[in-house]
Every structure is written in structure tokens, then in C-alpha cells.
Amino acid sequence: MSQIEAGKAVELADRSQVSVHSANGDSEEVKVDPYTGTVRTQTALDRYLNLKPMVAFGLTLQASWEAIGLTFQAAMFNGGPVSLFYGMILTIIGSLSIAASLGEMASINPTVGAQYRWSALYAPRAMEPNFWGLLQGWVTVFAWISGCALTPFLLGTITQGLIIFNYETYVPERWHATLLAWAFVAIPVIWNIYARKILPVVEIVGGVCHFIFFICTVVILCVMAPRSTPEFVFKTGVWDQSGWESHGVSWCIGLLSTTFPLVGFDGVLHMSDEVKDAPRRVPWSMVWTVILNGTFAFAFVICLLFTVGDLDRVLASPTGYPIIEVYYQATKSKAGTNVMMVMIMIVVFVSCFSIFASVSRLIWAFARDRGMPFSDFFSQVHPTLKIPVNALGFLSAMCCLLALINIGSTVAFYAILSLSTLGLYMSYWLPILLLTIRKLEGRAPSPGPFHMGKLGIFVNIFALIYGLFIITFLPFPIFRPVTAETMNYAGPIMGAAVLVGLGDWFTSGQKRFRVPNTMEDILRHEQ
């Protein structure tokens, strides 16, 4: 048990947390276990982020129109233009309902742990809140780790695709892309360690580039690319590419292209300890992120469908990214195509800084609440850098391991894409369900500065229906027949993550993890 040093001013915030201020002005957070009385002191994170960089943070983290360009082939193989266009409308509405529902909880209790803390706190006491919090924690952490691994994987495979595009003599190997992905892991890790303070500036610059590059891309395509007919954009379905006989199932699988670009808006939640006036700014940053990125994504979908060119040539692109062929058909220039792809890569690259910062804080928070084995190690904050270096190192190692999937599977791209999206939707669904149950029972907690009033319950219910619908179809394979190489491994891998959480609970988790007692409203409702 650590001792609180004499000469420090101590303020007891609740039974689980003590704020400590030393004579030199440094702040520390002392966690008091309400069950054992154990005191643990750790360096606190700085609050240095306001609304503008947080909205820019969300814009670059999602990189919506860029993500549409990189993933639209999933919809073109399953449903075609009607899946991409109408699926985008559904996804915007559904994502906004989920963001608003999470925003209500974030306004009441803006916490880095977010989903797993809320699941533990809102769960009926008969359901063993500690269990649901721990299980939710493992799902949320693994979902974000897989999402974090996807970003450098995208950059690595885009780089390889451009090499294929520019050098006909190049013989691509899957392990080349894995090595490139590892290189793109190293850069944001080093940046997060040594240049954290200029992250807000980088995020704002990335948000500006996100907008400027969108305008440039749309203008180039509209002026130079061949035109599709309105009938192609709004009425054409593609049902013979993926092997799925059911048009309905095929259309639903095609939603992977539209759900991925608008997922991850909760990334700002995991920066809550570094946001000024978090109860107001965190919820609004999520909502504005979905509204702005949804607008960009929908506009780009319309532009892309009207300028896609020869669809057969596009889908047969040897680069692995049909958008490269779309750009080439429009510009008829390899140099021009390279420049347009670099515009996508710049924004995705900036998003690497955002996502590594966000997920490392999530891992740190989960360890701080003793949700992970070796929690004392992973919950440490570097005393001078003021960042969770150990959590960041664990995250980078996991990203490198997940990049190895590419070596063994030709559809690793879809597997990791589905895995990150599936895990995040699962992490959203449970806390929204538990909040909705409380509202229906008349035991809703007192609202924070951000709330939807009487409309909230209807938004929550729609978010649950939409989330369950997406979770059902994300694990489906993109192509049939299903083989070892075309299998969508998202479902089995996420199932393994759930099993890890269950195993942890029944071994040491039930003794180690405790519900954080930080919400007086919920505790009062339980009495």
C-alpha cells in the first residue's frame, strides 16, 4: 500500500478517488479501492483540449470520405450502387442515433473508460455489474485495438497498391504490406511520446486538409471523369459478384462499406481526461463528428457513383484498391492519380496520431480500474511525458501482431475491417441497452448538460435496433463459397476476445475488478 506524502493537499472526491496536489503544482490521482482501502498514486493526465481540436480529432479519426474511397468495393460486390447510396443514408441516421445516445451518458459521466464503466454502473445489481463491466471492457479494448491496427494496415497496403500501379515489374508479396504496416505503426507511437502537446495543432491541420482535399477530389472527378447515368446511381444493383443468392443478404453485407467510415466517433470519449469542460464538449464533439463526416461521406458517395467509370475495370484493379483505377480513368495520368491517393493518405496518416492517442488512454483507463492482468504496469503514466507509455507500447505490439493476418489470408483487409466495426458496434450496444432499460423502468439518472429530453428514449430504441441489425450482418463473409482464404474471421476473433474476458472473470477478474463508484445519481436510484 502506498502512503500519501505529508505536505500534499488532499481532497477526497469520492470513495474511489483522491486528488493530490504537490507543492510544485504537479497533479496526481490517487485511487482508493473502496473494498480493500488500498491507495495507489499515479500521475494524472493534463486537460489541454477544447472543442475545436476535439471535433477535428473526430473528423480525422473517422476520415469518412477517404474511408469510403478505400472500402466502397465491399458494397460494389454486394448490392452495387443501391447498397452504397441507400446504405449511406441508413448509416448516417443510425450512427447519429448511437452518437447521441452515448452522448447522454458522456454528459452525465465523461470518463476515459466510457462504455465499460457505463455498463457496470447501469447494469441491474442482480446482473453482477462487475461482470458486465469487465466483459464490456475486454470487448471495447479489443475492438479499438483492431480499429487501431487497421489504420497503419490501410496505409501499408495503399503504399503497396501504388507501387503495383507505378511499377509493372514489381512482384507483390503479402508480407511486404505487413512490413509497411509496421513502419506506419512506429511513426505515430514515437509522435505520441515526444510531440503530444502539438497534437491539437496537427488535428486541426488534418481537419482542414480533410475538407480541402474533399473539395479538390470532387472537382477533379466532376470535371474530368466519365459520367454514369442517374439510373445506374439510384436503381442499379449488383448481385452476381459475391456468390450470395439472396439479394437482401447481399445488400446488408454491402453495408460494411458505409458503416466503417462513420464508426469510431466514441474515440473522443477516451480523451475525456484531457478535455476541458468534458460534460459539454465531449458529447457535442461526437454529434458534430457524425454530422460533418456523414455529410462528407454522402456527398462523396454521390460523386463517386456518378464518376466511377468502367465498373468491371475498377473492381478488377490489381492494386487491391479500386479507387486507384477510378482516379486513373478520370485523370488519365499516373502522376495525377498518385497525387490524389496521397491526399487520402495524408488524412489517414493524421488519423493514426488520433487513434493511437485515444486507444492508449482506453487501455490505460481499463488497467487503472484493474480490468487487465498486470494492471499496475499498464496503468502507469510517465511522470514527465504525462502519457501512458506502457499502454501505448502494448497497443503498438498488438497492432503489429494483427497485421500478420495479412500474410495468411488474401481477404485480410475485409477481416480486419469487419473486426474493428463489429467490435465497436458491440461496445456501443450494451450500455445503450442498459440505459434504455433504466429509462423504461423510470430510474434514469439525472441528465447532464447534453440530453435529448423526452425524445431520448425513442432515439435510444432506434439505436438499439439499428445496432443489432449491423452486428448481425458484419460477421458474414463477403464472398461465397467460403474457404479458409475467403472466410470472414471477424466473428471468430471477436468470439475469442469474449472468451478471454470470460476466462479472466472466472480466474482473477472477479476479485480484481470493481465497479467505479463515481455516479451519485445511479447509486441513489439503486437504494
Side-chain angles (χ1 to χ4, degrees):
M1 178 185 300
S2 63
Q3 301 296 323
I4 301 176
E5 299 177 6
K8 292 184 176 181
V10 180
E11 299 174 357
L12 184 61
D14 54 37
R15 293 189 64 198
S16 65
Q17 179 173 306
V18 180
S19 299
V20 180
H21 308 280
S22 61
N24 62 10
D26 290 337
S27 62
E28 293 179 336
E29 184 180 85
V30 178
K31 302 296 290 184
V32 181
D33 191 320
Y35 297 87
T36 65
T38 301
V39 179
R40 294 184 294 125
T41 304
Q42 50 188 207
T43 304
L45 302 178
D46 291 336
R47 291 190 182 272
Y48 64 101
L49 298 172
N50 55 38
L51 184 59
K52 289 181 180 179
M54 288 309 294
V55 172
F57 181 99
L59 288 175
T60 56
L61 191 149
Q62 285 188 324
S64 60
W65 72 265
E66 297 90 345
I68 287 288
L70 299 177
T71 64
F72 77 93
Q73 60 266 36
M76 288 305 186
F77 285 124
N78 285 279
V82 295
S83 179
L84 193 59
F85 178 79
Y86 296 104
M88 193 73 251
I89 297 174
L90 173 63
T91 300
I92 291 172
I93 298 172
S95 297
L96 191 57
S97 70
I98 293 176
S101 298
L102 295 179
E104 285 190 319
M105 290 180 275
S107 187
I108 298 169
N109 183 28
T111 174
V112 178
Q115 291 99 306
Y116 78 81
R117 278 200 173 190
W118 298 335
S119 293
L121 289 167
Y122 288 119
R125 293 302 176 250
M127 295 175 63
E128 182 52 66
N130 290 327
F131 169 77
W132 292 105
L134 184 65
L135 188 62
Q136 173 76 76
W138 278 108
V139 170
T140 304
V141 166
F142 191 79
W144 267 108
I145 288 176
S146 60
C148 193
L150 179 63
T151 308
F153 177 80
L154 286 173
L155 290 167
T157 51
I158 293 170
T159 303
Q160 186 180 44
L162 288 176
I163 296 173
I164 295 171
F165 175 68
N166 288 281
Y167 301 97
E168 296 181 357
T169 58
Y170 169 64
V171 180
E173 298 287 348
R174 291 198 291 271
W175 61 269
H176 294 173
T178 297
L179 290 179
L180 288 168
W182 286 0
F184 283 110
V185 167
I187 298 172
V189 169
I190 295 172
W191 185 286
N192 268 273
I193 292 176
Y194 296 108
R196 173 184 64 91
K197 282 293 187 180
I198 63 173
L199 182 62
V201 177
V202 174
E203 297 303 336
I204 292 176
V205 171
V208 172
C209 289
H210 178 62
F211 174 72
I212 293 176
F213 292 162
F214 169 78
I215 298 297
C216 294
T217 300
V218 168
V219 170
I220 291 172
L221 290 178
C222 289
V223 172
M224 304 181 68
R227 291 289 187 276
S228 304
T229 64
E231 183 177 358
F232 171 82
V233 174
F234 303 116
K235 297 181 180 180
T236 301
V238 177
W239 316 110
D240 58 352
Q241 295 289 325
S242 64
W244 285 97
E245 297 178 359
S246 170
H247 291 187
V249 171
S250 183
W251 188 89
C252 293
I253 294 173
L255 290 177
L256 176 61
S257 290
T258 60
T259 53
F260 169 69
L262 291 185
V263 80
F265 42 79
D266 61 308
V268 298
L269 286 171
H270 312 309
M271 302 295 289
S272 294
D273 278 8
E274 293 160 271
V275 178
K276 300 175 182 178
D277 194 13
R280 296 179 185 274
R281 289 173 173 168
V282 169
W284 277 114
S285 64
M286 286 196 296
V287 170
W288 277 112
T289 292
V290 174
I291 292 173
L292 294 175
N293 264 330
T295 302
F296 284 135
F298 186 59
F300 187 73
V301 162
I302 295 174
C303 175
L304 179 65
L305 290 176
F306 271 106
T307 60
V308 71
D310 187 335
L311 187 58
D312 291 334
R313 282 180 55 191
V314 166
L315 295 181
S317 173
T319 64
Y321 286 96
I323 192 64
I324 295 178
E325 181 62 29
V326 172
Y327 287 169
Y328 185 59
Q329 288 186 35
T331 62
K332 298 179 176 58
S333 165
K334 286 193 173 182
T337 301
N338 289 331
V339 171
M340 294 182 74
M341 287 303 299
V342 167
M343 288 193 291
I344 288 180
M345 292 184 69
I346 288 174
V347 178
V348 175
F349 185 59
V350 171
S351 76
C352 268
F353 304 130
S354 306
I355 196 171
F356 270 84
S358 174
V359 181
S360 62
R361 272 59 169 182
L362 173 62
I363 295 171
W364 163 76
F366 193 44
R368 182 184 58 177
D369 288 331
R370 309 195 70 79
M372 295 176 62
F374 311 108
S375 291
D376 289 337
F377 177 77
F378 291 118
S379 63
Q380 292 179 14
V381 175
H382 196 280
T384 57
L385 296 174
K386 299 293 183 69
I387 63 169
V389 175
N390 296 340
L392 184 61
F394 172 75
L395 172 62
S396 60
M398 291 298 297
C399 289
C400 290
L401 289 175
L402 284 173
L404 294 174
I405 296 176
N406 182 60
I407 298 178
S409 173
T410 56
V411 291
F413 171 79
Y414 297 109
I416 300 179
L417 193 67
S418 299
L419 177 62
S420 61
T421 311
L422 172 64
L424 288 173
Y425 267 90
M426 290 175 63
S427 76
Y428 303 153
W429 199 81
L430 182 59
I432 295 176
L433 173 66
L434 296 174
L435 174 65
T436 303
I437 291 174
R438 280 184 172 270
K439 287 185 176 182
L440 292 174
E441 293 177 344
R443 299 188 301 120
S446 299
F450 176 92
H451 62 90
M452 295 179 284
K454 295 182 179 179
L455 184 63
I457 185 64
F458 300 103
V459 175
N460 300 152
I461 292 173
F462 178 78
L464 288 174
I465 295 172
Y466 169 75
L468 186 61
F469 168 67
I470 297 299
I471 289 170
T472 300
F473 287 100
L474 281 177
F476 277 53
I478 301 294
F479 303 102
R480 292 187 65 191
V482 180
T483 65
E485 289 193 341
T486 62
M487 172 68 180
N488 184 347
Y489 291 96
I493 294 176
M494 185 51 61
V498 172
L499 290 177
V500 169
L502 290 173
D504 182 37
W505 171 259
F506 288 109
T507 52
S508 63
Q510 57 184 314
K511 300 177 181 178
R512 185 185 69 244
F513 181 75
R514 291 290 183 270
V515 178
N517 297 322
T518 59
M519 295 178 62
E520 294 180 359
D521 287 333
I522 291 181
L523 295 178
R524 185 167 59 252
H525 277 296
E526 287 301 325
Q527 294 176 354

